[in-house]
């Protein structure tokens, strides 16, 4: 299944903030994703309700652009990932009056990408630091050739 199809089927997490980054609206999917019900979220600063692993929501909202961003949030000992689009509604003097955040849970995708990066790093370390031996046989198993080489870079 393509990623775009998965995102179309995923619940849409939506919350709204005022100019001071205080939560003014929080949908059911935000409750489920963040583990905080609407009554506990509305009226509080978003950084208090949902701490990010790095940075602050205010900085991320201020840096809003047309492309979605992946934000990692802490939930107890766990980390979850939210890919979100930010829509800033301008107020007086082009200052934001409110901000609406729309997103999807992309935790599984972020974890898979991290695993792939780690595996790539491990394979590179093996390739650059271990001796590699290759041998060849014919279809009957008769030995044809052998070679050994050191792949490590010279320091």
């Amino acid at each position: 299944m393509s990623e775009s199809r998965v995102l179309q089927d995923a619940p849409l997490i939506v919350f709204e903030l005022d100019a001071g980054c205080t939560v003014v609206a929080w949908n059911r999917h935000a409750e489920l994703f963040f583990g905080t019900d609407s009554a506990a979220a509305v009226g509080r600063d978003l950084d208090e309700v949902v701490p990010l692993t790095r940075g602050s929501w205010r900085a991320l909202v201020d840096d809003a652009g047309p492309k979605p961003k992946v934000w990692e949030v802490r939930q107890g000992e766990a980390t979850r990932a939210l890919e979100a689009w930010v829509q800033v509604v301008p107020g007086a003097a082009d200052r934001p009056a409110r901000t609406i955040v729309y997103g999807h849970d992309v935790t599984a995708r972020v974890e898979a990408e991290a695993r792939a990066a780690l595996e790539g790093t491990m394979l590179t370390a093996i390739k650059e630091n271990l001796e590699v031996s290759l041998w060849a046989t014919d279809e009957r198993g008769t030995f044809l050739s052998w070679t050994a080489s050191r792949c490590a870079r010279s320091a």
Side-chain angles (χ1 to χ4, degrees):
M1 186 180 299
S2 73
E3 182 177 342
S4 62
R5 181 73 188 149
V6 169
L7 290 178
Q8 286 175 347
D9 294 341
L12 189 61
I13 298 161
V14 181
F15 53 93
E16 185 178 338
L17 310 168
D18 68 9
C21 227
T22 299
V23 177
V24 294
W26 194 257
N27 80 344
R28 177 74 181 132
H29 298 298
E31 290 179 341
L32 296 172
F33 179 79
F34 294 115
T36 303
D37 66 15
S38 182
V42 172
R44 294 180 53 206
D45 187 277
L46 185 58
D47 283 318
E48 294 173 11
V49 178
V50 183
L52 293 173
T53 57
R54 288 181 303 271
S56 72
W57 284 99
R58 187 174 321 276
L60 290 170
V61 167
D62 289 345
D63 190 31
K67 293 185 178 182
K69 294 187 174 141
V70 175
W71 300 343
E72 291 185 354
V73 298
R74 286 192 307 264
Q75 289 182 319
E77 296 296 318
T79 298
R80 309 252 342 250
L82 173 72
E83 180 175 53
W85 294 259
V86 176
Q87 177 185 357
V88 176
V89 179
D94 291 332
R95 305 214 20 99
R98 62 190 174 111
T99 303
I100 304 170
V101 180
Y102 308 88
H104 296 282
D105 182 351
V106 292
T107 304
R109 183 186 84 195
V110 168
E111 289 172 350
E113 289 169 355
R115 275 191 307 276
L118 179 60
E119 288 172 6
T121 301
M122 291 173 13
L123 288 173
T124 299
I126 290 168
K127 180 184 85 174
E128 292 178 354
N129 294 294
L130 293 179
E131 186 171 306
V132 176
S133 297
L134 301 171
W135 62 93
T137 61
D138 65 15
E139 63 277 355
R140 290 173 289 160
T142 304
F143 175 79
L144 299 174
S145 66
W146 175 81
T147 184
S149 65
R150 181 108 178 129
C151 295
R153 293 184 207 147
S154 57

